[in-house]
Amino acid sequence: MAKAPIIIVGAGVSALWCALRLHPTPCVILSPAILGRACASSWAQGGIASALGPDDSPLLHAEDTIRAGAGLVDTDAALALARLGPVEIKTLFDMGVPFDVDQAGDLILNLEGAHSRPRVARVTGDAAGKAIMTTLITQVRVSDHIHVREKWSAHGLLRDARGHICGVLAKSPDGGIEQLLGRAVVLATGGVGGLYATTTNPREVWGAGMAMAALAGAEILDPEFVQFHPTAMALNRTPAPLASEALRGAGAQILNGHGEAFMAQYDGMGDLAPRDVVARAVAKEIQAGRGAFLDARLAIGAQFPELFPSAFAACMENGIDPREDVIPIAPAAHSLMGGIATDSDGRTTLPGLWAIGECAGTGAHGGNRLASNSLLECLVMGHRAAYQLADMDAQARKGVQALPLAPLPAEGMMRLRRAMSAHAGVVRNARDLQSVIELVDALEAQHGTTGPTIVARLIAGAALRREESRGAHYRSDFPHPHEVPEHSALTLRDLEEVLPQAEQA
Ligand code: SIN
């Protein structure tokens, strides 16, 4: 009994960090692809935000996080991220992550939107995610307490007779399904971008963890708060390559097709306003037919390939030389502020079930995540969860019940992704959100309760219920915020009960 492993579902930074920090407690990682592939962490460009500069402090970092979060940030969660960040970065540095340093050996810190100080530690310009993942994968592969199952995924949770989550339904590379029992299950499945047609995330990342947790009855926090990155490259590529916010931190400007730098008209912070503000402004210019572009020619120019190699490669592959041309941009679904509700250590509302990283809703991001706080959260939460899980006792399991998710066929997924981008995107209204829910009902009538339809129901349902505009959730039919900010804390059952009333309204 004592050796039953912790099961970690997902293989991004939070999963690998948690697994490493669990040492010597045995754990199994279910990685849906070869480690490092099809994983949003590997694509993270900006870096890790943390109070590392001489004129900075964790308190200032927490204040910026709280200000960006539109009234919904949990102060303790934001403070924990800000306070623990510098230690995690030092550990990564000592492990060999090649953070960019200046001639004196000090970390080079980028400025990004809504940060009052430069505080984003970067690697090889805009390749932080890839570099961190490379270091962590190397460590994981030589760690005896970690068993990685590559090309394995989870298709549902297992629950024992006492209602404790005790394992997962694991799908092998050849399609066989196995009941994998564990001491606890940690969901680290990432965000929901893959549920949208226009996204910066790998398609595979559509919220599987949230679906499994919701089906088992877990509470979900603020699923309507999906962040749209304002400067995804509009190159007819899916997923859309990202033009990191650090480009604007280095002086690049957003222009419309008339060459006008329009951001100052929308917000006093101009191009470095919080992400929700910039995303709406960019969407508005595009909708008005003026188009939107990122201009790095003057501010970055010849240094572009060296400072932003990932963005440079994406531009050049698509026939755009950003040293000479402006880059066409459009908002794209990028990250999730809410998620499976957890406490500050990653415990969900279901015994035995934990969630870390983007799939978790800790309240740290409120209604609008501060740039480059996500890798930070992956590290801090991965570590905190591991610390608690390492001491967990093994339990005898009786009466194990499986809670499987049905698959959504490709054609249904395509319809759902298009509907989410068109009707649950940067600007929402009741009629459009209702149409998403009608599609979800129709798809479930045909295919049963599938993972993607559960997640779409949660996002659209919570967005429909939130009759205000706040942070990344903007309702054209309710353009103002309520006086008192409130979280959405709901279960799938709550939504199923409430939605018919919304239909009658
Ligand atoms: C970016 O580099 O703009 C993305 C980083 C983030 O999403 O925080």
Side-chain angles (χ1 to χ4, degrees):
M1 279 312 299
K3 290 292 171 204
I6 307 287
I7 299 169
I8 301 176
V9 183
V13 166
S14 62
L16 303 191
W17 198 238
C18 180
L20 289 167
R21 300 284 111 193
L22 272 168
H23 180 267
T25 303
C27 61
V28 175
I29 293 176
L30 294 186
S31 173
I34 299 290
L35 282 184
R37 304 232 180 108
C39 150
S41 293
S42 300
W43 295 4
Q45 290 189 9
I48 309 178
S50 204
L52 295 157
D55 62 344
D56 205 357
S57 73
L59 198 57
L60 287 174
H61 183 186
E63 276 172 15
D64 290 348
T65 301
I66 291 166
R67 196 173 315 113
L72 285 177
V73 171
D74 178 299
T75 306
D76 288 343
L79 277 168
L81 286 194
R83 287 205 180 112
L84 298 172
V87 182
E88 301 293 356
I89 291 182
K90 170 141 190 351
T91 313
L92 283 181
F93 195 77
D94 293 344
M95 256 181 189
V97 174
F99 285 104
D100 292 347
V101 291
D102 61 18
Q103 285 184 338
D106 294 326
L107 287 174
I108 297 175
L109 299 174
N110 279 347
L111 179 66
E112 292 191 355
H115 286 274
S116 59
R117 300 282 187 284
R119 63 164 73 94
V120 180
R122 60 182 223 204
V123 190
T124 332
D126 62 359
K130 191 158 177 236
I132 294 167
M133 284 294 290
T134 302
T135 301
L136 298 190
I137 289 168
T138 306
Q139 298 279 332
V140 162
R141 292 219 188 271
V142 296
S143 297
D144 288 344
H145 71 288
I146 305 173
H147 175 201
V148 184
R149 292 195 184 191
E150 284 168 306
K151 300 193 183 170
W152 281 72
S153 50
H155 288 265
L157 296 172
L158 302 177
R159 186 165 58 192
D160 70 14
R162 294 171 312 155
H164 287 214
I165 301 302
C166 58
V168 298
L169 281 174
K171 190 168 175 189
S172 71
D174 62 15
I177 302 277
E178 179 182 308
Q179 289 201 354
L180 190 61
L181 289 167
R183 218 184 299 185
V185 174
V186 182
L187 297 172
T189 50
V192 297
L195 202 58
Y196 283 79
T198 310
T199 179
T200 60
N201 292 187
R203 273 170 192 259
E204 296 82 352
V205 181
W206 51 259
M210 195 201 283
M212 287 186 273
L215 189 66
E219 186 176 285
I220 307 296
L221 184 83
D222 297 335
E224 67 274 35
F225 286 100
V226 176
Q227 184 169 71
F228 298 87
H229 199 293
T231 59
M233 296 184 197
L235 300 170
N236 283 327
R237 274 183 51 189
T238 313
L242 191 65
S244 169
E245 197 154 312
L247 282 153
R248 279 175 281 139
Q253 273 194 312
I254 299 177
L255 309 177
N256 62 23
H258 305 313
E260 292 157 354
F262 56 82
M263 268 317 300
Q265 293 162 31
Y266 288 89
D267 192 279
M269 291 180 85
D271 288 302
L272 288 174
R275 225 170 243 187
D276 59 322
V277 176
V278 185
R280 278 195 295 281
V282 167
K284 202 163 171 187
E285 293 294 308
I286 293 172
Q287 208 190 3
R290 291 186 285 274
F293 302 86
L294 189 67
D295 184 0
R297 292 172 298 183
L298 200 60
I300 301 167
Q303 286 183 296
F304 204 118
E306 185 202 334
L307 292 182
F308 299 100
S310 312
F312 185 72
C315 286
M316 295 301 276
E317 277 162 25
N318 289 279
I320 291 168
D321 184 341
R323 293 167 296 190
E324 290 168 13
D325 304 322
V326 293
I327 308 165
I329 54 166
H334 182 61
S335 73
L336 179 67
M337 271 73 71
I340 307 157
T342 71
D343 69 7
S344 57
D345 291 318
R347 273 182 209 87
T348 72
T349 54
L350 301 181
L353 185 65
W354 299 61
I356 53 174
E358 197 175 328
C359 72
T362 61
H365 307 304
N368 184 42
R369 178 175 62 82
L370 190 64
S372 290
N373 263 357
S374 53
L375 286 180
L376 172 67
E377 184 182 40
C378 290
L379 296 169
V380 170
M381 292 302 295
H383 196 159
R384 289 183 78 132
Y387 186 76
Q388 300 293 330
L389 284 159
D391 284 340
M392 235 173 111
D393 291 332
Q395 308 279 339
R397 304 297 186 191
K398 288 206 190 100
V400 172
Q401 178 200 8
L403 303 163
L405 290 171
L408 181 61
E411 192 263 333
M413 187 65 174
M414 199 169 66
R415 285 175 66 198
L416 191 59
R417 295 176 85 227
R418 286 197 188 128
M420 290 298 285
S421 273
H423 303 310
V426 179
V427 177
R428 302 147 173 201
N429 64 54
R431 194 193 54 227
D432 285 356
L433 291 166
Q434 194 66 56
S435 76
V436 173
I437 290 160
E438 281 159 18
L439 175 61
V440 165
D441 286 340
L443 290 170
E444 288 194 347
Q446 206 180 344
H447 305 292
T449 307
T450 75
T453 50
I454 289 177
V455 181
R457 186 185 292 288
L458 285 162
I459 295 171
L464 188 61
R465 290 168 79 178
R466 186 175 285 279
E467 294 183 333
E468 63 161 350
S469 290
R470 177 180 300 283
H473 169 76
Y474 187 85
R475 288 276 301 256
S476 56
D477 45 354
F478 294 97
H480 302 294
H482 289 156
E483 210 162 302
V484 181
E486 272 181 54
H487 287 288
S488 306
L490 64 158
T491 63
L492 201 52
R493 180 164 283 246
D494 295 332
L495 267 186
E496 280 161 356
E497 280 162 11
V498 167
L499 286 174
Q501 288 164 18
E503 271 170 17
Q504 286 156 22

